[in-house]
Amino acid sequence: FRQPSCWIWKSIRITHILLREKRFAAADFEEVHYQDNALVQAIRNERKIELIGEGFRMGDLRRWKQGFSRNGDYSIIDQAANNTSPLSGAVNPLGVTVSYNSGDFRYTWPIPSAEMDINPQLEGQQNPGY
């Protein structure tokens, strides 16, 4: 896997800052009251938006027992400039479709072999799928 170049990460960060400023403009504030499941969904959506690229998404999906499916067709469109952003190819550069069901074994990582070697009580045990 090839790491994206530095300008891509800088572009992502700048885009994130601009979107955040736009989302939290005082003139656009509207008071909303949520209840029950709508509140949970609003929190989950806010975490997805605010914590993008910070490594929390997989843990959140695992904790909420939700699967996901990603395909290679990610195009990020700059509405103001009416063109496609240079970030479009950065999200999934190989165009591979990836899907995890809510109970997928890959949500649970394997026990490291060093831990298995040190602790004799773990002998013959491993997380399912590994």
Side-chain angles (χ1 to χ4, degrees):
F1 177 71
R2 193 183 75 181
Q3 291 290 329
S5 64
C6 186
W7 71 267
I8 292 175
W9 291 117
K10 288 179 182 177
S11 297
I12 290 172
R13 185 65 184 143
I14 290 168
T15 304
H16 184 245
I17 291 169
L18 293 174
L19 287 173
R20 176 184 246 174
E21 288 175 1
K22 184 176 181 180
R23 286 180 63 224
F24 292 110
D28 296 335
F29 181 75
E30 178 183 334
E31 187 172 339
V32 179
H33 298 278
Y34 295 102
Q35 293 180 351
D36 303 325
N37 199 34
L39 175 61
V40 172
Q41 275 308 119
I43 291 170
R44 288 178 180 176
N45 189 50
E46 195 64 27
R47 283 187 63 84
K48 179 173 74 173
I49 294 168
E50 283 298 316
L51 301 176
I52 188 169
E54 295 185 18
F56 293 101
R57 188 71 180 147
M58 291 296 287
D60 285 348
L61 292 173
R62 181 178 59 228
R63 182 175 55 254
W64 299 329
K65 296 180 177 37
Q66 293 182 342
F68 72 90
S69 180
R70 301 288 184 263
N71 62 25
D73 185 23
Y74 281 93
S75 60
I76 302 168
I77 299 174
D78 182 354
Q79 300 292 340
N82 198 18
N83 63 6
T84 304
S85 168
L87 300 176
S88 294
V91 178
N92 191 346
L94 300 178
V96 178
T97 299
V98 178
S99 291
Y100 284 21
N101 294 324
S102 62
D104 195 296
F105 75 93
R106 293 172 288 187
Y107 274 130
T108 305
W109 291 356
I111 300 171
S113 58
E115 297 296 325
M116 302 279 283
D117 294 341
I118 292 172
N119 189 344
Q121 294 179 349
L122 293 177
E123 185 176 336
Q125 297 181 34
Q126 184 55 274
N127 287 329
Y130 296 101

